[in-house]
Amino acid sequence: MLQNLETLAREAKSWPFEQARNLLAHVLKKRLAEAERAEAKALIDAGKADEALAKFEALRRPVILETGYGPSGLPHMGTFGEVARTTMVRNAFRALTGDHWKTRLIAFSDDMDGLRKVPEGVPNPEMLREDLHLSLTRVRDPFGTHDSFGAHNNARLRAFLDSFGFDYEFMSSTETYKSGRFDATLLTLLERFDAVQAIMLPTLGEERRATYSPFLPVSPITGHVLQVPTLERNVEKGTITFEDPAGEPGNRTEVPVTGGHVKLQWKPDWAMRWVALDIDYEMSGKDLIESVRESSKVCRALGGTPPEGFNYELFLDIEGKKISKSKGNGLTMDEWLRYGTPESLSWYMFQSPKSAKSLHFNVIPRAIDDYLAFIESYKTQEPLKRIDNAVWSIHAGDPPTHTSPVSFALLLNLVGVANASSKAQLWAYFAKYLPDATPENEPLLDRLMDHALNYYEDFVKPSKSYRLPDDKEKAALLDLAARLKALPADTTDGELIQNEVYAVGKEQAFEPLRAWFGALYEVLLGASQGPRFGSFAAIYGLPQTIALIEAGANGELAKSSKE
C-alpha cells in the first residue's frame, strides 16, 4: 500500500510528510558526501529509491526512529501520542521512498534508571520505599507478577503498544547496557569526559555543578544507582573511581564504565543512545527543547550526528492548564478508550501537533465524528487530497471503506431519548432503519454503542437541561408534528423527514434558520446541539418522534426534567 506514491508524497502538505522529507534530507546529509547526496536525491525524486540504495552502500542501513519511555509508571497518553505520531512519520517516509528503504522503530525503555520516588496508586508502597535508588529492573514488583517493577511496566508497555497494532522493536536500557552494545560509545564518553562536562555544567545550578558527573555508577555494595562525583578516570582501563556512600568513609571504588556497571545521566544517556544505536529520528515534547539542544551538543562531542527531531505541543486540561500526572487533571488512556475508539484518539493526535489542545472528556465525541467524516471524505477525494487526509496516516495508507452508518452524536441522543441502558435496546431501534445490520457486519457501530452508553451515563445525563419553548417555537413544533403525522408511520427515509424540518423552519420564518434547530435540540433533547434531526427521527421511529415533539411543545419534557 505504500509503494508507487513517491510523487504524491513529495507534494503532500500534511505534517507527517513534511517530517518525512526532513528525515530524508537528514539521512542523505548524514551518510553521503555532497556530490553523492545530489545524485541519490535525484534518483529518489525520480521514484528510483531502489536504484539509489543499490548504488550507495551507506543508504542500505535501515533508517531508525526512536521513542522513549520511562517505566517508573504505566504507559499513558503521551506514550501513545509519541509512538502514534512517530509511526505516521515512518509511514510517510516509506511512501516517499517507494517503500524500498527499510525502517525500524525502537521503543526504548529507560529501565536501568534508579527509582527516585514511590509512584502514587501502586500497591505495596512500603516495599518500593525499601527499594528506592535501585534500578527499576532490580526493584521488586509491587504487583507480584514479574521479576521486577521495571519488567512489570515493560510488559504493560508492550501489551499497550501491541493492542494498537504498532510495529516496533522493544529495547531495554538494562539489557542493552549489560549486553555491551553501548560499550564503545561509553568508552568514547569516558575519553571525552571534559568536553561533556563543559556542555553540561553551565546548564546546572551551583550546588549541582559541584558534584555532577555524566556517569552514575551502580554501587557494588547496595546496587543503588548513585549520583556521586567522579573522582578519577582511567581511559586506558576504561574505569571511573568514586566514593561509595555505603562503604567506609573515604573509600575509593573503581568500576568499569562498560558492561552495565554504570548508567549515564539522562541527557548524556539520550545522546549516547543516538550515537550507539545510530538513531535518525526522535520527536519530543515542547518542554524538552532545551534538553534536546544539550543532548545534541553531547552527541556531537561523541562524534555522532543528532537525529532529525520534531517538538510537539503539550496538552491542556479543560481550564487551559498544563496537564500533570501528579495533579490528575488530564485524561488517561483507559478513560479515552471507555468513551471513544482508538481510531478517534489517533485522529486527535494527528491534528495540529504543534498547537496546544485541550485533552478532556468533552473532546471525545467530536473526535469520533470527525474521524468518521474524514473516512467518508476520503472515499471521493483525489489522490493528493487523500494522502493528506488524516485517515491515510492513521491507517498507513489503507483506511477502511466502511465505518459506521450513523454518527456518535446521533447515538448519544438516541441513548438519552430512548432511555437506553443496553446495546440490545439500541439495536432494536435500528431494526427498521437498518434491517440487515447486525453486530457482526457493523462492528464499529456495535463498539460505538458501548462508548455512547458510557459517555451518556457519565457526562451527558448529568448535564441535561430541557427548556420550555416560546410561543413561536411551540407553534413550529406542533406544525412539525402534524407534518410528520402525514407521512407513513413506518417511514425510515431520513432525508424526507429532514426536508419537513427545513420546511417548518422556513415557513415559521426562523432567522437565522439554525435558531430553529437550536430550539429542537434544547426543547426536545436537553442539549445545545445534536445530530441531523431527520436521521435521528428515522432511527428512533416516526411515532416515537412525534410523541417526543408534542411532549416538548407542551412543556412536559422541561417539567419532568425538574422533578
Side-chain angles (χ1 to χ4, degrees), residues 50 163 232 472:
D50 53 340
S163 69
E232 294 178 13
K472 180 178 180 178

Side-chain angles (χ1 to χ4, degrees), residues 254-436:
E254 184 178 23
V255 296
V257 299
T258 54
H261 293 91
V262 305
K263 187 194 179 297
L264 296 182
Q265 300 269 10
W266 85 269
K267 292 175 189 176
D269 184 85
W270 207 7
M272 182 274 297
R273 292 207 311 264
W274 291 344
V275 177
L277 302 178
D278 195 22
I279 302 299
D280 296 301
Y281 187 90
E282 182 157 7
M283 61 173 62
S284 56
K286 187 179 178 181
D287 57 332
L288 294 181
I289 288 176
E290 285 299 319
S291 300
V292 170
R293 187 174 295 121
E294 292 155 12
S295 294
S296 295
K297 291 178 182 178
V298 175
C299 178
R300 293 187 187 95
L302 297 177
T305 301
E308 182 65 24
F310 176 73
N311 295 113
Y312 52 83
E313 256 293 359
L314 305 179
F315 289 112
L316 307 175
D317 67 9
I318 197 169
E319 297 178 352
K321 297 177 181 178
K322 178 181 172 181
I323 283 177
S324 166
K325 284 191 292 182
S326 61
K327 293 180 181 177
N329 62 335
L331 189 63
T332 68
M333 284 296 309
D334 287 344
E335 287 168 337
W336 186 292
L337 296 178
R338 171 172 167 79
Y339 306 115
T341 61
E343 297 89 347
S344 66
L345 179 55
S346 292
W347 184 92
Y348 197 69
M349 291 295 175
F350 177 92
Q351 303 304 315
S352 306
K354 282 188 171 289
S355 299
K357 298 194 297 292
S358 170
L359 187 60
H360 201 262
F361 299 104
N362 59 0
V363 307
I364 296 177
R366 176 68 180 272
I368 295 172
D369 281 340
D370 281 348
Y371 166 77
L372 297 176
F374 273 57
I375 289 284
E376 291 304 313
S377 297
Y378 186 88
K379 296 175 183 177
T380 58
Q381 285 176 325
E382 60 187 49
L384 190 55
K385 293 286 186 183
R386 279 186 163 190
I387 205 167
D388 275 332
N389 187 321
V391 301
W392 189 99
S393 289
I394 291 169
H395 295 284
D398 189 22
T401 56
H402 180 71
T403 54
S404 169
V406 299
S407 70
F408 189 67
L410 189 153
L411 281 175
L412 282 176
N413 283 282
L414 183 61
V415 170
V417 173
N419 197 26
S421 58
S422 70
K423 285 196 296 185
Q425 292 172 284
L426 294 178
W427 275 112
Y429 280 101
F430 281 90
K432 288 185 178 180
Y433 181 68
L434 295 171
D436 297 327

Side-chain angles (χ1 to χ4, degrees), residues 497-527:
I497 299 170
Q498 188 74 9
N499 289 339
E500 296 296 343
V501 177
Y502 272 112
V504 170
K506 291 177 180 178
E507 187 167 311
Q508 298 289 339
F510 279 89
E511 187 61 39
L513 188 59
R514 66 173 176 270
W516 165 229
F517 290 98
L520 286 173
Y521 300 142
E522 292 167 6
V523 174
L524 304 183
L525 303 178

